[in-house]
Amino acid sequence: MPKHSTLKPVAAAVKTLALAGLLGGAALNPLAASAADFTFNLVHLSNTDDEDYDGALVFKDYVESHSNGRIAVQLYPGGQLCGAPVECIESLQSNLIQIFQATTGGVSNVFPEIQALDVPYMFPSDRVAECALGGPLVGELREEVLKRTGSMRLMTIGNTGGWRNFATVSKQIKSPADVKGMKIRTINSPIQMELVKNMGGTPTPIGWSEVYTSLATGVIEGTKNGITDIMSAKLNEHIKYITLDGHGYMGSMWWMNQEAFAELPDDLKQVVDDGFDALRWTTIVMPKRRQIEAYEAFKKGGGTVYTPSEQEKAEFVKAAEPIHKWFSDQYGSKWLDTVQNAVNSCEASLKPAG
């Protein structure tokens, strides 16, 4: 049977701190807040150089302009109101914030099966990932999480940083065998750690803020990140090799408090829904554009980028196959099959005609 877990009720201290932050933020722009019929506090943990912020700006502009000012959106990037996904989700569920962006790792406390989106090599290409994560699968996930929480409404799934690839300090990875014995940084996600274990490496979950120092001191010998994140955090000062194995599409889920959405009149619900679609495409396009300069800068600084051959990529995929059984044993096969079916359907629909 699948294993489920739920968040504990938000602590009084967190409520007080978040509410103080919201009041302070509203004070910065009291006219916008007071003139609007509805005010949304939008929170994401990345900084203003990130595509999450670009998407949030597009959403804010679209919603405010198309609602003729009936909706005001206040942006809180960089963890201003909450510093970790669990804390932010608690605030979202309590309607202290109305919109929050998270990856699968951040949502897994509420809905562990969401990690099916992170099964290595599940998505073979950008087009397939964009198709699958923009289709009926979103509605199925929305319905399930709403049923479990009563408060979290999935609005859209974009991207945050492109693809996860292996990036290392002193050794180029060309096959799964090359990972053996290496200390590779992962996020604190069971499925990400399982991938490194299956290749013979030592998964080392470390917070993002500690990755630079951990690479410098040898605590880790590599990480699993996209090129734009690597360059923005200056990890290229230590990382010298990147292998484009594309084991994870960095999906970005945008959640809205259900009560905040439900109280909108139908015309504004449509505006908000359309705004999230504009946000989605912004976050999808921006990493593709930014990675051009990022890869050029990485190579100019002495870095080497390696693209596995078709045969080598097949070896990576094969090494990750046991994770399918591991996932089913942990959480059941329903959502793994659901995501795989969405991928299969998109692959069939995207085949060139003739």
Side-chain angles (χ1 to χ4, degrees):
M1 292 291 293
K3 297 180 179 179
H4 304 314
S5 60
T6 57
L7 288 174
K8 296 179 180 179
V10 63
V14 174
K15 282 187 176 181
T16 302
L17 179 61
L19 184 57
L22 295 181
L23 293 175
L28 294 177
N29 195 6
L31 293 179
S34 62
D37 297 326
F38 305 92
T39 300
F40 300 150
N41 297 293
L42 184 156
V43 175
H44 63 91
L45 298 180
S46 47
N47 60 37
T48 54
D49 294 326
D50 195 90
E51 56 275 349
D52 296 333
Y53 184 67
D54 293 319
L57 282 175
V58 169
F59 175 81
K60 173 181 171 68
D61 177 74
Y62 185 95
V63 169
E64 290 183 344
S65 62
H66 283 74
S67 70
N68 286 317
R70 294 163 64 194
I71 298 176
V73 180
Q74 302 199 35
L75 307 184
Y76 296 91
Q80 292 181 44
L81 298 184
C82 46
V86 170
E87 180 187 346
C88 294
I89 288 174
E90 288 177 340
S91 295
L92 178 76
Q93 290 182 305
S94 299
N95 205 13
L96 292 172
I97 61 177
Q98 287 69 51
I99 299 169
F100 176 61
Q101 176 271 333
T103 59
T104 54
V107 183
S108 59
N109 283 334
V110 176
F111 179 37
E113 295 95 321
I114 197 76
Q115 294 177 91
L117 300 179
D118 256 359
V119 169
Y121 310 107
M122 173 65 77
F123 301 106
S125 68
D126 281 296
R127 288 190 74 195
V128 171
E130 291 158 11
C131 170
L133 299 179
L137 176 61
V138 176
E140 295 178 67
L141 291 169
R142 178 187 302 128
E143 182 180 353
E144 182 66 22
V145 177
L146 263 176
K147 183 169 65 177
R148 295 194 189 193
T149 66
S151 57
M152 291 177 63
R153 180 184 183 88
L154 178 61
M155 300 304 298
T156 194
I157 303 178
N159 184 268
T160 177
W163 292 82
R164 291 191 188 279
N165 295 302
F166 283 106
T168 49
V169 174
S170 59
K171 177 183 177 182
Q172 182 79 69
I173 292 174
K174 294 186 177 182
S175 74
D178 293 330
V179 179
K180 187 175 182 179
M182 296 189 73
K183 294 175 290 185
I184 303 294
R185 180 260 176 179
T186 71
I187 60 174
N188 191 19
S189 165
I191 205 164
Q192 295 291 334
M193 291 186 275
E194 282 296 314
L195 174 64
V196 176
K197 286 180 183 177
N198 272 271
M199 294 183 180
T202 302
T204 310
I206 291 175
W208 180 242
S209 62
E210 301 172 21
V211 175
Y212 181 92
T213 302
S214 298
L215 288 167
T217 57
V219 172
I220 55 175
E221 300 165 275
T223 184
K224 295 173 348 75
N225 288 103
I227 184 62
T228 54
D229 289 338
I230 288 171
M231 298 304 292
S232 65
K234 301 187 185 300
L235 302 187
N236 58 303
E237 294 180 7
H238 307 294
I239 293 290
K240 297 303 175 187
Y241 301 95
I242 295 176
T243 301
L244 303 182
D245 69 302
H247 55 265
Y249 182 83
M250 297 173 70
S252 174
M253 289 168 284
W254 292 82
W255 303 87
M256 187 167 180
N257 177 272
Q258 173 63 15
E259 181 182 349
F261 182 81
E263 71 178 0
L264 295 171
D266 288 345
D267 62 326
L268 292 188
K269 286 179 180 177
Q270 187 64 59
V271 168
V272 169
D273 202 48
D274 291 344
F276 273 111
D277 188 65
L279 175 154
R280 173 179 182 257
W281 284 109
T282 301
T283 64
I284 285 172
V285 170
M286 292 302 293
K288 295 177 183 179
R289 174 64 183 89
R290 288 176 172 167
Q291 73 178 11
I292 298 172
E293 285 87 357
Y295 277 121
E296 288 178 353
F298 180 74
K299 293 174 184 177
K300 187 175 181 180
T304 300
V305 179
Y306 182 76
T307 301
S309 67
E310 187 174 335
Q311 181 178 350
E312 288 168 336
K313 180 64 178 283
E315 292 177 10
F316 281 107
V317 173
K318 184 176 181 180
E321 283 179 357
I323 295 177
H324 289 252
K325 182 179 184 304
W326 173 86
F327 185 95
S328 295
D329 289 345
Q330 295 288 314
Y331 311 117
S333 62
K334 175 185 175 181
W335 287 100
L336 187 64
D337 293 341
T338 299
V339 176
Q340 186 64 66
N341 289 339
V343 169
N344 294 343
S345 177
C346 286
E347 284 188 299
S349 70
L350 293 173
K351 285 184 178 179

